[in-house]
Amino acid sequence: PPPTPTQETFPSLSHSTMTSTSKTTTTASSHHDNNNKISSIFLGTFNVNGSQVTQPDCQKWLKQAERADMVVLSFQECGTCRKDGSTHSPKRMHVHDYCRYDDNRVEEEEDGNERKKEENVAAVKEEEETKKCMMEQDKEFLSSIESCLSSDHYQVADIAMGEPPSSSSNNNNKHKWYGYIRLLVYVKGEVTASNISKSSIPIICPVGNKASSYSTTTHPNYKPSQSPDKGAICLAIPSLSLLLCSMHLAGTNKYNVPETIFDDIRIKQLQTINDACFNNTEMIVDDASFRKLRPIVLGDLNFRVEVLSSEGEKERGGKDFCAVNEILMEGETDQVRQLFLEYDRLCLHLGHTTRRRQQQQRGKNEFIMNNVNENENHITKNGSTINVDDKSFPSLRRIDLLSDVVDLIWRESFQNKQKTSSNVILPTFTFKVGDVPPRSYANKRTPSWTDRILVSQRLLLLLSESDDNWICCDKDQETMHSEEEGIQQPLLVGSGEVTSIGTNDDIVLSDHIPLHCLIHFK
C-alpha cells in the first residue's frame, strides 16, 4: 500500500478549522462540554450511486442522529467532494490526486498545434464550470445532512478519495467513475469536538484497479491495486480508543463466476487496509497500542448472498437470482432468516453462519476470542490454542482489524429468532432506481446485504451465554482513561447497547438503500 499520510496532510483536522453546524453556540453546548463524554453514537452508511442526497432523504435516514453525541456517516459513490481552502480531503499523495477534480485533466500542449491549444482553452473553461457546479452541489449536500443534526454538533472530519462521477456518455467501465468514498464525523460540544479533532489521525488506503478518467502524461494513471474507487478511509481516535473505517470493497461485476472468486479479492483488500492501519507510524507505537483501538467498520462491503454457484445458474436473472428473490417476495420471516444465516457470504467468513458451525464440528463451535497470542497465527480459546491457518477457522478472523467485530445486522436481526420476527432487515441491494415502495429487486445482481456495520464487541454489551455469542466483551473497557498535557480527554466508557437499527426503503435515489443504527453507552 502507499505510504500513509501524516497529520500535516490534513491541516483542516486541526482545531482552528473545526466547523459547527450552527453559527451560534447554545446553552446545550456548554452543558455537554461539562459532561465531556460520548454516551451515544449514530452510525450510517449509504452507497448513493453518484446521486445527490436531498434534505427529505436525510430527514428519513438521519431521524435519530440529532440526539446522538457522535455521528459517523460513510458514503460510497458519493457524487460530490469538497476541495476548497477548508477541505478535509487529501490534495495529493505521490504523483496522484486521490481526490481528483476536472482541473487535473489539462493535457500537455503541443508546440505549433493551434487546434490543441484551442481545445485546452475550451477544456479549462468547461472544467472550471464543472468544478463550480460541484462545489455548489457539495454545499447543498452538507447542508442537507447538517439540517438533521443538532446546533451543538461540530464537524471534526470530512475525508474523501476518488474521482467525480463520469458523464452519462462514458460507457467504458474501465474509466467510468461513480463518485467518492467519503467519511463524515460530527461530535457534540465544542471542547469535546476540539479534543477529538486534535487526537484524530486519518488513514487513506486505496485498493482498486480502475483506470483514471484524467490520466495524462503529467498525471499518470494509478498504480496497480491503488486506485481510490475502492478501499477505505479510516480515522483513528486514540482519545476514544476508536478506529472508524468507511469502506467500499470490490463488487461482483461478472456473470457466471462463483462468489468465492470475488470473496478472495475482497479479503485481500481488507488485509491491505488492515496493513495500512498497522503501518501508520503516526498512530502505532507498538502492537498493544493498536489493539486498544476498537474498530467500527461501515460501508458497502459488497459480500453477496449465493444459493446456487454453478456457471449456468449465475446469469443475469438466472436461477441464483430467482431462488433468492422468491424467498424475499414471499416474505416468510423464518425463510429470510435461514437465507441470511446459511448463504450470506460475509457471515460465512466471520463465522456467524449455521453452515460454518456445522462444518467445524467443534462442540458448540464458539470461538471466544479472549486475547491474541504473540504468535499472530494463533488465537486463545478458553486456554487452548487454535491455529488460524486451519481452513475451518473463519477467514476474516485472521485479519486483526476484524478479529473481534460483530455484524450488527446478524446480531440485531437474525442471531436471535425472537428478534427476527420483529426486526427483519431485508437485503439492501440491488433495487431499481426510482421505484416507489414497495420496491422490487432488479435482476442485475442477486439481492444481497452488501451494506453493513461491523462493531468491535468490546464496545457492546456482553450477551448471555444462551445467546450463543461468539466473541467476548472487554470487561476492562470501563477503566479506560486518557489525559494529555493536563487536559481531560473525551471519554467513551461503558458497554454499548444497540437501541435502534434499520434501513430506509423509501429513499429511492440509488440501487442501494441506506443502513443506520444508534448505540447508547451505559
Side-chain angles (χ1 to χ4, degrees):
T4 309
T6 63
Q7 181 75 26
E8 286 71 28
T9 311
F10 298 81
S12 55
L13 283 173
S14 64
H15 171 57
S16 60
T17 54
M18 186 180 61
T19 58
S20 170
T21 58
S22 173
K23 294 182 179 179
T24 59
T25 303
T26 64
T27 304
S29 176
S30 301
H31 173 74
H32 192 276
D33 282 333
N34 290 334
N35 186 23
N36 204 35
K37 293 181 180 179
I38 303 296
S39 60
S40 57
I41 299 180
F42 179 92
L43 303 170
T45 179
F46 193 7
N47 183 325
V48 295
N49 194 35
S51 302
Q52 180 76 334
V53 180
T54 66
Q55 187 171 344
D57 292 330
C58 290
Q59 288 173 343
K60 298 172 185 175
W61 178 37
L62 307 178
K63 186 182 299 183
Q64 297 175 321
E66 182 178 7
R67 60 187 183 182
D69 293 336
M70 187 175 192
V71 177
V72 181
L73 302 178
S74 169
F75 292 93
Q76 309 84 46
E77 299 183 3
C78 185
T80 64
C81 176
R82 238 182 342 180
K83 196 178 177 187
D84 56 12
S86 62
T87 182
H88 293 265
S89 304
K91 289 191 174 182
R92 187 172 297 279
M93 294 171 59
H94 303 314
V95 296
H96 305 301
D97 243 333
Y98 279 170
C99 199
R100 292 189 171 184
Y101 265 94
D102 293 349
D103 55 350
N104 288 332
R105 201 176 180 180
V106 180
E107 299 180 359
E108 293 178 321
E109 295 184 14
E110 297 179 13
D111 293 336
N113 190 333
E114 294 299 326
R115 181 179 178 183
K116 192 71 175 179
K117 291 180 180 179
E118 291 175 3
E119 288 177 355
N120 278 335
V121 170
V124 170
K125 184 176 180 180
E126 181 181 352
E127 287 153 9
E128 286 298 321
E129 290 296 320
T130 301
K131 183 177 179 181
K132 182 179 178 181
C133 179
M134 288 192 68
M135 293 299 297
E136 290 300 319
Q137 288 179 347
D138 197 66
K139 288 180 181 178
E140 183 180 344
F141 169 78
L142 289 173
S143 176
S144 296
I145 291 171
E146 293 171 359
S147 67
C148 302
L149 303 182
S150 163
S151 60
D152 194 27
H153 276 111
Y154 284 77
Q155 185 192 90
V156 296
D158 179 356
I159 315 171
M161 68 175 180
E163 293 186 8
S166 304
S167 64
S168 57
S169 59
N170 183 355
N171 294 318
N172 187 342
N173 287 333
K174 289 185 178 180
H175 298 276
K176 191 168 185 177
W177 287 72
Y178 297 92
Y180 302 90
I181 304 173
R182 192 167 181 175
L183 174 67
L184 292 173
V185 181
Y186 295 87
V187 173
K188 276 188 177 178
E190 186 173 5
V191 174
T192 307
S194 173
N195 289 338
I196 290 175
S197 178
K198 287 176 181 178
S199 70
S200 298
I201 302 166
I203 304 167
I204 303 291
C205 186
V207 298
N209 279 298
K210 179 168 285 189
S212 172
S213 296
Y214 307 123
S215 178
T216 65
T217 305
T218 54
H219 294 86
N221 216 321
Y222 301 110
K223 295 180 180 179
S225 300
Q226 290 189 15
S227 66
D229 60 309
K230 297 294 188 289
I233 294 169
C234 304
L235 189 70
I237 310 177
S239 60
L240 298 179
S241 294
L242 284 182
L243 179 61
L244 308 176
C245 300
S246 173
M247 291 191 188
H248 192 188
L249 303 181
T252 297
N253 55 13
K254 292 181 180 178
Y255 295 110
N256 292 321
V257 177
E259 284 299 324
T260 53
I261 303 298
F262 299 106
D263 285 354
D264 288 344
I265 297 172
R266 294 170 194 129
I267 292 171
K268 288 177 182 177
Q269 290 177 341
L270 284 166
Q271 184 64 62
T272 300
I273 294 166
N274 178 82
D275 294 344
C277 292
F278 265 110
N279 295 333
N280 189 318
T281 55
E282 285 286 316
M283 180 178 70
I284 306 303
V285 178
D286 52 36
D287 230 24
S289 63
F290 179 83
R291 299 191 190 286
K292 290 180 181 178
L293 297 177
R294 297 165 290 182
I296 295 177
V297 177
L298 61 169
D300 181 1
L301 305 188
N302 254 324
F303 286 92
R304 306 301 173 96
V305 169
E306 183 180 66
V307 175
L308 304 170
S309 59
S310 299
E311 183 174 334
E313 298 165 334
K314 298 285 292 181
E315 298 174 345
R316 178 169 185 155
K319 292 182 179 179
D320 186 47
F321 167 84
C322 292
V324 175
N325 192 55
E326 183 179 349
I327 292 173
L328 298 173
M329 293 299 290
E330 290 178 359
E332 290 290 335
T333 300
D334 289 343
Q335 290 187 27
V336 175
R337 181 173 184 266
Q338 183 179 2
L339 175 70
F340 182 89
L341 292 177
E342 295 191 13
Y343 298 106
D344 178 81
R345 304 290 299 178
L346 179 60
C347 278
L348 174 69
H349 293 296
L350 285 174
H352 289 329
T353 70
T354 54
R355 183 165 49 157
R356 168 68 74 178
R357 298 183 187 191
Q358 291 167 357
Q359 290 172 348
Q360 285 168 337
Q361 297 178 349
R362 293 173 182 262
K364 283 187 67 178
N365 301 319
E366 291 180 291
F367 287 91
I368 309 294
M369 298 184 192
N370 295 320
N371 64 290
V372 180
N373 291 341
E374 291 182 5
N375 183 344
E376 63 181 12
N377 291 325
H378 294 82
I379 289 180
T380 299
K381 174 185 179 289
N382 295 339
S384 60
T385 300
I386 299 170
N387 185 350
V388 299
D389 287 332
D390 186 337
K391 291 183 179 180
S392 69
F393 192 85
S395 54
L396 291 182
R397 296 302 185 193
R398 307 171 194 177
I399 300 175
D400 293 279
L401 182 65
L402 304 177
S403 63
D404 84 326
V405 297
V406 61
D407 171 42
L408 292 191
I409 291 182
W410 168 77
R411 184 181 190 266
E412 299 299 320
S413 190
F414 295 111
Q415 177 204 20
N416 186 299
K417 193 171 183 179
Q418 283 69 39
K419 278 189 176 182
T420 303
S421 60
S422 60
N423 191 28
V424 177
I425 295 178
L426 296 176
T428 58
F429 172 85
T430 173
F431 291 94
K432 297 175 182 177
V433 177
D435 254 12
V436 295
R439 301 177 74 184
S440 57
Y441 290 97
N443 67 0
K444 181 179 179 181
R445 302 291 176 200
T446 299
S448 298
W449 289 269
T450 56
D451 307 276
R452 308 295 267 266
I453 299 175
L454 313 180
V455 176
S456 169
Q457 189 74 359
R458 288 170 286 161
L459 281 165
L460 301 174
L461 283 173
L462 180 62
L463 301 181
S464 65
E465 293 182 3
S466 61
D467 286 329
D468 199 18
N469 185 33
W470 277 55
I471 307 162
C472 73
C473 182
D474 183 356
K475 297 179 181 178
D476 296 327
Q477 63 180 302
E478 296 190 24
T479 64
M480 290 184 180
H481 296 278
S482 177
E483 295 185 6
E484 182 179 335
E485 298 179 357
I487 301 175
Q488 179 68 41
Q489 295 293 302
L491 301 177
L492 179 59
V493 298
S495 296
E497 179 183 4
V498 179
T499 56
S500 175
I501 185 170
T503 56
N504 300 87
D505 64 354
D506 53 350
I507 297 178
V508 300
L509 60 89
S510 173
D511 51 357
H512 293 251
I513 55 175
L515 174 68
H516 67 270
C517 77
L518 183 64
I519 303 176
H520 281 88
F521 296 90
K522 297 181 177 181

